[in-house]
Amino acid sequence: RRRQPIWQGVAVAIVVMGIGSGIALSSAETWWTKGVSYHHPQLARVINASDRPVVLSDAFAINPGNVVALSYLVDPKTRFILFEEVWKQLQIPTIPESYSDVFLLNLPDVFLEEFNATYQSTLEPVAPGLWRWRR
């Protein structure tokens, strides 16, 4: 009987901390538990600042999921080009002239080097996992 108030206090403290954690999580732009998509709000701000953006990525590992998640955060004017895994076939896509900024999302160095060689350009790192090529 004497220990019952102690355990009731512990239970109340746990519930209060859970509610506080839920409130903090729901109001946060991102959270430390979102390891893969932690930087998406930052990426979206960079992409949305562009006039006519296109985002290139491949179908390797988590990239298709990243593209879908990012598509909910960017403006509807943003277009996405998702191509076959770079490791299966290294083929640089033709970028239509209608895009002002080309963003490359989570692509390996071998693709970035080939892209630079194909378009005789220099890619600018703008955020974690995101590079920009301006025409």
Side-chain angles (χ1 to χ4, degrees):
R1 290 269 184 215
R2 289 183 190 178
R3 293 185 182 168
Q4 188 175 8
I6 293 172
W7 288 113
Q8 286 175 341
V10 170
V12 168
I14 290 173
V15 169
V16 168
M17 288 188 307
I19 291 170
S21 176
I23 291 170
L25 176 62
S26 68
S27 64
E29 184 176 74
T30 189
W31 202 252
W32 67 271
T33 56
K34 296 181 179 183
V36 173
S37 59
Y38 182 81
H39 296 288
H40 282 170
Q42 179 185 2
L43 301 179
R45 281 191 294 277
V46 170
I47 293 168
N48 287 340
S50 180
D51 188 32
R52 293 178 319 277
V54 62
V55 178
L56 305 179
S57 193
D58 71 348
F60 179 71
I62 60 171
N63 283 350
N66 275 333
V67 167
V68 170
L70 188 59
S71 72
Y72 285 98
L73 300 175
V74 296
D75 293 336
K77 67 182 178 187
T78 304
R79 297 294 172 242
F80 291 88
I81 298 175
L82 188 66
F83 45 86
E84 191 173 0
E85 294 177 30
V86 168
W87 302 115
K88 287 185 177 179
Q89 181 180 11
L90 181 59
Q91 183 176 353
I92 306 300
T94 302
I95 311 296
E97 293 288 328
S98 59
Y99 299 114
S100 61
D101 291 306
V102 178
F103 295 94
L104 291 87
L105 178 65
N106 296 331
L107 291 168
D109 290 340
V110 66
F111 183 89
L112 301 177
E113 291 167 6
E114 189 66 27
F115 186 92
N116 280 335
T118 300
Y119 286 101
Q120 295 152 4
S121 65
T122 303
L123 292 169
E124 166 193 3
V126 291
L130 188 70
W131 292 266
R132 176 184 7 216
W133 173 53
R134 292 185 184 186
R135 292 186 180 269

